[in-house]
Amino acid sequence: QVQLVESGGGVLQPGRSLRLSCAASGFTFTSHAMHWVRQAPGKGLEWVALISYDGSKKFYADSVKGRFTISRDNSKNTLYLQMNSLRAEDTGIYYCARDFRYYDTSGPFDSWGQGTLVTVSS
Amino acid sequence: QSALTQPASVSGSPGQSITISCTGTSSDVGSYNLVSWYQQHPGKAPKLMIYEVSKRPSGVSNRFSGSKSGNTASLTISGLQAEDEADYYCCSYAGSSSVFGGGTKLTVL
């Protein structure tokens, strides 16, 4: 069965950097685009970034553009999110999610990880 | 990339039907038949309930249905059950990005 396991979350000060990972298994990772979605404490879902199946296309929410970088290593079935210049408003649970269709990037998100918590606080 | 607009809360009694609206713009909901709905129970990851406006993934009850008219999509849950109590989020493709609604808390009375 499809499994997505995020890791790398933690507590850190504003301005610092963090890299999240998402280990995928149970499906052909190289055939699916992947997304990061976050959720601030007690708030709604916010789409963060997507990467195409082969890593050639990357798109970001305006709120993270220029600070976050999405990447993937298809040889390791792993998705990453490099987060730089972190702000308090970046605090939340970060989920990785699989794009439903082969080779598409338009969603929906049919499988989700359990999330990893990032807390940015001085 | 403004969030789609959903009511903050809706409620209904067991057996009744409820509808949650999701209003976007001509740049997202109105332009694509790529609206999806997610159910999220407290402390859990979201679960896909409806995709492409009205399609149900395998395993999702046929009590859940979706529709769209213009810039507004809707999720209807019929025959409400206690386990339907959760937060519901709509989401639309917006051309190289996706945008979620603010979420609706469903209370089953």
Side-chain angles (χ1 to χ4, degrees), chain B residues 54-71:
Chain B
S54 59
K55 297 180 180 179
R56 278 187 310 275
S58 174
V60 172
S61 170
N62 59 9
R63 298 186 298 105
F64 291 82
S65 62
S67 63
K68 190 187 90 166
S69 177
N71 295 339

Side-chain angles (χ1 to χ4, degrees), chain A residues 34-35 47-52 57-62 65 70 99 104-107 109, chain B residues 1 27-28 32 34 92-99:
Chain A
M34 297 294 295
H35 302 255
W47 177 83
V48 173
L50 83 86
I51 185 168
S52 59
K57 299 177 184 177
K58 303 176 185 182
F59 299 100
Y60 302 90
D62 289 344
K65 200 172 296 182
I70 190 171
D99 199 289
D104 203 350
T105 58
S106 57
F109 319 121
Chain B
Q1 294 183 345
S27 297
D28 38 61
Y32 307 96
L34 293 173
S92 176
Y93 179 66
S96 302
S97 67
S98 292
V99 59

Side-chain angles (χ1 to χ4, degrees), chain A residues 2 4 14 20-21 23 27 29 32 39 48 52 71 88 92 99-100 122:
Chain A
V2 175
L4 299 170
L20 305 182
S21 300
F27 67 100
F29 184 68
H32 289 267
Q39 186 169 34
V48 173
S52 59
S71 62
D99 199 289
F100 178 54
S122 54

Side-chain angles (χ1 to χ4, degrees), chain A residues 10-109:
Chain A
V11 180
L12 60 166
Q13 295 179 327
R16 303 300 291 267
S17 298
L18 194 66
R19 188 178 82 157
L20 305 182
S21 300
C22 170
S25 61
F27 67 100
T28 305
F29 184 68
T30 54
S31 296
H32 289 267
M34 297 294 295
H35 302 255
W36 286 99
V37 176
R38 69 184 180 183
Q39 186 169 34
K43 303 297 184 182
L45 301 173
E46 179 187 12
W47 177 83
V48 173
L50 83 86
I51 185 168
S52 59
Y53 69 98
D54 60 356
S56 63
K57 299 177 184 177
K58 303 176 185 182
F59 299 100
Y60 302 90
D62 289 344
S63 57
V64 306
K65 200 172 296 182
R67 300 187 299 121
F68 289 12
T69 301
I70 190 171
S71 62
R72 65 192 296 161
D73 186 336
N74 283 350
S75 69
K76 296 182 178 179
N77 285 359
T78 302
L79 173 73
Y80 302 101
L81 185 67
Q82 176 67 42
M83 305 186 295
N84 297 333
S85 302
L86 281 161
R87 306 167 180 168
E89 54 264 37
D90 295 319
T91 293
I93 297 173
Y94 284 72
Y95 296 99
C96 64
R98 187 183 80 164
D99 199 289
F100 178 54
R101 295 178 195 77
Y102 291 158
Y103 311 121
D104 203 350
T105 58
S106 57
F109 319 121

